[in-house]
Amino acid sequence: MLRYLSTRLVRALLTICFVVTFAFVILRLSGDPALLILSPDAPPEAIEAFRKSWGLDRPVWEQYVRYFGAIAEGNLGRSMRDGRPALDLVLERVPATLALTIPALILKLVIGIPAGIYAALHRNKLADRMTMLFSVAGFTVPSFVLGLVLVLIFSVNLGWLPSGGQDSWIHGILPVITLGTAGAAVLARFTRSAMLEVLGQPYIRTASAKGLAWHRVVVDHALPNAAIPTVTIVGFMVGSLVAGAVVVESVFSWPGVGRLLVVAVANRDLAVVQTILLFVAATMVCANLTVDMLYGWIDPRLRTRRVAGAG
Amino acid sequence: METLVALRGLTVDFDVGHRVIRALHGVDITVGKGEAVGLVGESGSGKSVTWLAALGLLGPRARVRGSVTLAGQELLGAPARALEAVRGRRIAMIFQDPASALNPVHRIGRQIGEALGLHRGLDGGAARAEARRLLDRVGIADAARRLTDYPHQLSGGMNQRVMIAMALAGEPDMLVADEPTTALDATIQAQILDLLRELRRDGGMSMVLISHDLGVVAENSDRICVMYAGRIVEEAPTAELFAAPRHPYTSGLLAALPDLDGPRRRLVAIPGTVPEPAHLPPGCAFAPRCPVVLPVCATAVPPLESAGPGHRAACVRVRRAVAA
Ligand SMILES: Nc1ncnc2c1ncn2[C@@H]1O[C@H](COP(=O)(O)OP(=O)(O)O)[C@@H](O)[C@H]1O
Ligand SMILES: [Mg+2]
């Protein structure tokens, strides 16, 4: 187990290094923060001074080494826009994002999983077809389209809910529904196919042949097995709690991490982008580790590998 | 002999979306109290479907007609509750691939305990003790420790023993063993068959042994039913069937058997394969492969007719022989 964890950890570190480098290359090669933050009409001296103070006048490789060194020391740098520590800027925004993504995750779970199970148990019946129809619709419609449609209906036409901002929990309703719908759709499909796979297994027939009532066959024998693949996708959803709302935050003007990221990328504000990416990578890594541990807990085949003698 | 289970005119249709496929065409089988019946036939001939249908285990896409009675009680169309009370308690069933027939995420002890709780109201320590006794009974060494193992920690033969222990948990009147040894290698196969024989001798349990291997069935049945393409084509006491087979298919199966002392092998001697249920020839389903086919065989399905005491066969040649 320890060896397993340490290889996972090394892999996670490599991933993070890769992400850090990738962000540097993309952001440095695609625009000049001085021009973007100060505007191109700023006096040349001002631009020169800005470059000097942020080290942008040095060769790119030197910038990279310094930047990487700083991160390795735990210094995430400051925003070039207002000079505040990038970490503070990001941390400030995390609660707002979680205020959307956590309720959305709960929505996905409480709708997606039961819907998938129900559909599988009523395979090819009307209920199954309707569920799958909604599910396909749910994840083929892009979230910004869904968001705008919801705004059109509930804010513009009916006037029931606000279309943007973060003044109260009411403002969160539409973004949470927008976020939750696609995820619930994915989860429903996934759970359905996991259940169908499991329901076709010989041990399900054994459980019925034993005399168990069908609901107990489903609850005691099918669900624990179907949980194994479903945990993967749920883990992925947990991993995207911090970064999964970029589009929706933009549509609903929600001041979360996603919107900060959009602005920071537009300004090539490297330190801020970097910090957000590190956060995202860290949540992903934690979620993956948790999933791996859950696997071991649910599926005994991953815990113990021992075959007793024949006979 | 008193009849325990009787299948009468059992017909099974599968709804496969665009059409309906008939897998069984009116199967009659009776099993007496304490009797061991062998059901033999090549793969795809409908042996499993017959007994899954009898226990209502085929799922919603299968349409089952005819009659299945257990000690006079009709099971077809019986409410779910009534069927649950029969499964495992009156009629238990074990399957071909023991490794996948046990739930991979539950311990052996729990899976046996479930049956004990269901049929004998045992739980906790009592269930554990009884599960241990059952594992002992089916010849698993170190039973106490095995209870906490998962199926993947046991070999195929051990898992089949666990399946048998689970089947015994309800103290059933009859055990249906569907190819219980097909997935196992030869020595283990012999051990499992020995165990089944011993259990039957001790417990007076009826048994249906399903196999594609006439050799397996021969040593473990009082009577043998031969199945082909969803029909019983011959039925006789075991010795009689071996001595005087009346259906050319049975003769073919017999010819495929190795010498008594030789190793068992798969049935290969009859050329061709069992026709798919969707592509049955008109008339006798065996006619296209039959070495002694007559023109009349392609016109009508021969009924199962008496060919001596306790012996019936579905071949036009039987009637000719009787008439002659
Ligand atoms: N669920 C099902 N749907 C459609 N056809 C089936 C189904 N189960 C079995 N069959 C068909 O019924 C026939 C008999 O199958 P089976 O009883 O499993 O054969 P056996 O046990 O003798 O090898 C086969 O042709 C098989 O394809
Ligand atoms: Mg079979």
Side-chain angles (χ1 to χ4, degrees):
Chain A
M1 193 65 190
L2 233 104
R3 226 187 82 192
Y4 175 73
L5 277 182
S6 60
T7 56
R8 288 304 296 228
L9 223 63
V10 169
R11 258 173 53 192
L13 280 177
L14 283 177
T15 309
I16 289 175
C17 288
F18 176 77
V19 167
V20 165
T21 307
F22 182 77
F24 179 87
V25 171
I26 295 291
L27 292 191
R28 268 295 167 273
L29 298 185
S30 65
D32 184 346
L35 297 181
L36 289 161
I37 289 174
L38 295 181
S39 101
D41 333 316
E45 310 85 69
I47 290 180
E48 210 45 54
F50 184 91
R51 289 207 172 118
K52 214 176 178 70
S53 73
W54 291 103
L56 297 172
D57 53 346
R58 297 171 193 272
V60 170
W61 66 265
E62 194 188 322
Q63 290 184 41
Y64 177 71
V65 170
R66 283 170 158 230
Y67 150 88
F68 211 95
I71 290 177
E73 283 171 11
N75 176 6
L76 293 172
R78 290 167 177 275
S79 163
M80 293 184 206
R81 218 165 109 89
D82 53 13
R84 293 181 54 208
L87 186 61
D88 292 358
L89 279 176
V90 176
L91 283 177
E92 249 169 45
R93 299 294 192 99
V94 169
T97 292
L98 292 183
L100 290 188
T101 51
I102 289 179
L105 178 66
I106 294 170
L107 194 68
K108 293 173 199 178
L109 295 176
V110 300
I111 293 180
I113 290 179
I117 294 172
Y118 188 84
L121 292 176
H122 297 83
R123 185 183 194 176
N124 288 331
K125 301 246 177 69
L126 188 66
D128 178 27
R129 298 200 174 164
M130 295 305 283
T131 312
M132 285 306 103
L133 197 72
F134 279 114
S135 168
V136 170
F139 75 81
T140 42
V141 176
S143 57
F144 72 90
V145 173
L146 179 64
L148 290 176
V149 168
L150 289 177
V151 164
L152 218 65
I153 298 174
F154 293 100
S155 307
V156 179
N157 279 341
L158 298 173
W160 289 352
L161 294 165
S163 64
Q166 193 214 6
D167 304 335
S168 74
W169 65 270
I170 302 218
H171 290 78
I173 293 179
L174 286 183
V176 165
I177 292 177
T178 309
L179 272 176
T181 305
V186 171
L187 205 51
R189 271 189 87 84
F190 217 85
T191 307
R192 175 181 180 268
S193 58
M195 270 303 273
L196 286 180
E197 162 84 28
V198 166
L199 288 173
Q201 294 297 314
Y203 54 78
I204 295 299
R205 200 182 46 196
T206 305
S208 289
K210 210 187 255 190
L212 284 176
W214 181 237
H215 70 268
R216 284 198 51 199
V217 175
V218 170
V219 172
D220 296 348
H221 290 268
L223 291 183
N225 282 282
I228 297 167
T230 307
V231 157
T232 316
I233 189 108
V234 173
F236 185 77
M237 288 174 170
V238 172
S240 57
L241 279 178
V242 173
V246 176
V247 172
V248 169
E249 283 179 9
S250 301
V251 170
F252 291 96
S253 329
W254 189 269
V257 177
R259 267 218 5 231
L260 180 64
L261 180 67
V262 171
V263 172
V265 168
N267 287 323
R268 304 298 184 274
D269 196 347
L270 185 59
V272 176
V273 174
Q274 200 51 72
T275 307
I276 294 176
L277 290 184
L278 282 175
F279 257 83
V280 171
T283 10
M284 288 281 187
V285 166
C286 290
N288 278 339
L289 280 178
T290 316
V291 165
D292 281 339
M293 268 160 351
L294 273 179
Y295 270 156
W297 179 62
I298 303 175
D299 190 346
R301 284 165 294 189
L302 301 178
R303 246 179 291 154
T304 40
R305 292 230 164 261
R306 169 166 64 88
V307 173
Chain B
M1 190 184 323
E2 199 179 336
T3 297
L4 180 66
V5 175
L7 316 185
R8 295 265 171 256
L10 196 65
T11 301
V12 172
D13 293 317
F14 286 109
D15 176 2
V16 288
H18 47 291
R19 59 160 183 233
V20 171
I21 286 177
R22 176 155 296 186
L24 292 193
H25 305 256
V27 166
D28 294 336
I29 297 177
T30 57
V31 183
K33 278 209 170 113
E35 191 185 21
V37 174
L39 183 57
V40 76
E42 287 162 295
S43 176
S45 50
K47 308 180 296 293
S48 301
V49 167
T50 300
W51 288 98
L52 291 172
L55 287 176
L57 291 172
L58 280 177
R61 302 176 76 89
R63 173 127 185 245
V64 182
R65 272 169 299 188
S67 155
V68 178
T69 54
L70 167 67
Q73 176 203 357
E74 179 62 51
L75 298 185
L76 274 197
R81 278 287 183 79
L83 282 176
E84 286 152 17
V86 167
R87 295 182 194 136
R89 179 75 193 88
R90 310 288 309 275
I91 306 176
M93 194 161 175
I94 63 174
F95 302 99
Q96 171 163 345
D97 182 10
S100 58
L102 289 165
N103 195 326
V105 306
H106 295 319
R107 296 176 198 279
I108 303 299
R110 167 165 175 188
Q111 299 193 50
I112 298 175
E114 204 170 37
L116 289 169
L118 213 51
H119 303 304
R120 286 162 59 191
L122 300 178
D123 55 11
R128 237 186 337 272
E130 177 62 8
R132 224 186 100 175
R133 194 191 65 81
L134 285 168
L135 285 189
D136 264 336
R137 179 72 195 84
V138 298
I140 290 183
D142 204 2
R145 209 162 51 90
R146 290 298 176 219
L147 287 176
T148 60
D149 276 349
Y150 290 95
H152 75 273
Q153 294 171 289
L154 306 183
S155 66
M158 291 255 261
N159 275 325
Q160 193 61 286
R161 287 175 195 270
V162 171
M163 283 293 290
I164 295 172
M166 212 158 82
L168 295 179
E171 298 176 325
D173 304 323
M174 178 166 114
L175 174 67
V176 179
D178 187 356
E179 310 253 9
T181 60
T182 304
L184 309 174
D185 62 45
T187 26
I188 313 295
Q189 176 170 327
Q191 290 173 15
I192 296 288
L193 290 174
D194 284 345
L195 171 65
L196 288 176
R197 202 167 20 231
E198 191 187 309
L199 290 172
R200 202 167 66 78
R201 200 183 50 221
D202 297 355
M205 192 170 55
S206 305
M207 185 155 90
V208 173
L209 180 61
I210 300 176
S211 179
H212 64 275
D213 185 340
L214 195 46
V216 164
V217 169
E219 300 160 28
N220 296 285
S221 324
D222 307 322
R223 196 156 50 84
I224 292 178
C225 298
V226 180
M227 199 162 186
Y228 189 79
R231 289 192 171 88
I232 302 291
V233 296
E234 183 158 14
E235 178 187 349
T238 303
E240 159 101 2
L241 189 91
F242 273 76
R246 298 302 298 272
H247 197 286
Y249 181 57
T250 312
S251 308
L253 294 181
L254 283 169
L257 280 181
D259 297 334
L260 270 181
D261 307 317
R264 276 193 200 103
R265 56 189 162 90
R266 290 195 169 257
L267 307 179
V268 288
I270 310 173
T273 51
V274 182
E276 289 285 317
H279 304 107
L280 285 188
C284 175
F286 187 59
R289 299 169 73 189
C290 183
V292 293
V293 65
L294 296 167
V296 65
C297 296
T299 60
V301 180
L304 200 55
E305 290 178 308
S306 174
H311 193 160
R312 299 194 299 159
C315 178
V316 289
R317 287 176 181 276
V318 171
R319 193 182 308 170
R320 296 194 170 194
V322 172

